[in-house]
Amino acid sequence: MVSVSRRLTVTDHDRRAAGMTYVYPVVSRRAGGVSVGVNLNPNNACNWRCVYCQVPDLTFGKGPAVDLVQLEQELRGLLEEVTHGDFMERCVPEGVRRLNDVAFSGNGEPTTSPQFGEAVDIAGQVLEAFGLLGSVKLVLITNGSMLNKRPVADAIARMATLNGEVWFKLDSFTAEGARRINHSAAPLEEHLARLSIAASACPTWLQTCLFSWDGQEPVEEELVAYLEGIRALVERGVPVRGVLLYTVARPSMQPEASRLEPLPETWLRAFAARIEAAGLPARVSA
């Protein structure tokens, strides 16, 4: 039973909004509509710690075992309310009352779940049962850290047959930037190799979050390295669809929260123009 009783906004992505364990609705500024989220990390565990992360009590680790029967029941229940109930009128602002996607995006990295592949298959089956397969996207929002693992790569390939799309986290093209922003020590070349795996298997967008830190905009050296990285991807023929460029919109729950501020839309659009000049389309979510 869906129990959403409040109006959703782009600044409220509470995973408990529907009173469920695994499934929750949000209004997504990047999607421009309603996104039905699937949270495979209800234990608040992730293998990265991004400084802008909104997950409270974040811990280092992986997703727990998932009750797949419950996951399917919750997904069917919410989609029933969204598509045949009065959910849109009660809970969603006018102008964004459309179902855009079912997205694996929760309180940690979804691909660390031991049942990620099975969850993908369930989502595809439920979308087909509701007649939504092909019209509603199946999205994976990921830090990309596990995409070289065979079971995950195989699941990504199956997503491509389900109108799937991968949003691959890449906030910095420097090792220092990745450590500072994402607390990731993975070598850049390994991360880019995982990006190539994803982009070759399923339509893939880079997702990049930029923001002011201690009142300072991103330094030019970081921006130049980012643009050079984009040019290199294009030159190597990595089939990335483009860049989803955004800034912080909801309060971070990490120790660095007080040091982070959103960048103006004008700044983001100016940098998006530089990305496009480097060879990839860019979409801005201010």
Side-chain angles (χ1 to χ4, degrees), residues 164-177:
E165 195 166 271
V166 175
W167 294 2
F168 188 102
K169 171 57 57 184
L170 207 163
D171 294 323
S172 173
F173 270 91
T174 71
E176 178 184 359

Side-chain angles (χ1 to χ4, degrees), residues 76-220:
R76 286 180 178 274
L78 184 53
L79 285 179
E80 176 67 28
E81 184 66 17
V82 169
T83 58
H84 298 118
D86 63 352
F87 171 86
M88 291 292 190
E89 289 72 22
R90 286 190 298 106
C91 303
V92 180
E94 289 188 39
V96 288
R97 289 176 179 168
R98 69 179 191 89
L99 176 59
N100 184 77
D101 58 64
V102 171
F104 289 97
S105 172
N107 289 9
E109 172 52 40
T111 61
T112 65
S113 167
Q115 292 148 298
F116 171 67
E118 293 168 281
V120 166
D121 294 337
I122 286 172
Q125 292 162 10
V126 173
L127 285 172
E128 184 174 23
F130 277 80
L132 299 173
L133 194 60
S135 60
V136 171
K137 290 183 180 297
L138 183 61
V139 177
L140 168 64
I141 301 178
T142 177
N143 62 28
S145 61
M146 305 290 288
L147 271 62
N148 59 321
K149 307 298 183 183
R150 177 55 65 86
V152 177
D154 289 347
I156 297 302
R158 294 199 300 277
M159 282 185 60
T161 70
L162 301 171
N163 196 26
E165 195 166 271
V166 175
W167 294 2
F168 188 102
K169 171 57 57 184
L170 207 163
D171 294 323
S172 173
F173 270 91
T174 71
E176 178 184 359
R179 283 194 298 270
R180 184 189 192 207
I181 299 170
N182 311 116
H183 287 84
S184 169
L188 178 62
E189 284 307 311
E190 290 183 8
H191 197 52
L192 294 179
R194 292 190 289 267
L195 172 62
S196 294
I197 291 171
S200 298
C202 187
T204 298
W205 289 77
L206 294 180
Q207 53 163 345
T208 298
C209 183
L210 298 179
F211 46 87
S212 292
W213 193 309
D214 293 333
Q216 301 296 314
E217 296 176 350
V219 297
E220 184 63 17

Side-chain angles (χ1 to χ4, degrees), residues 22-26 35-39 71 75 78 101-106:
Y22 302 112
V23 177
Y24 61 97
V26 298
S35 176
V36 171
V38 178
N39 180 16
L71 170 61
L75 185 55
L78 184 53
D101 58 64
V102 171
F104 289 97
S105 172

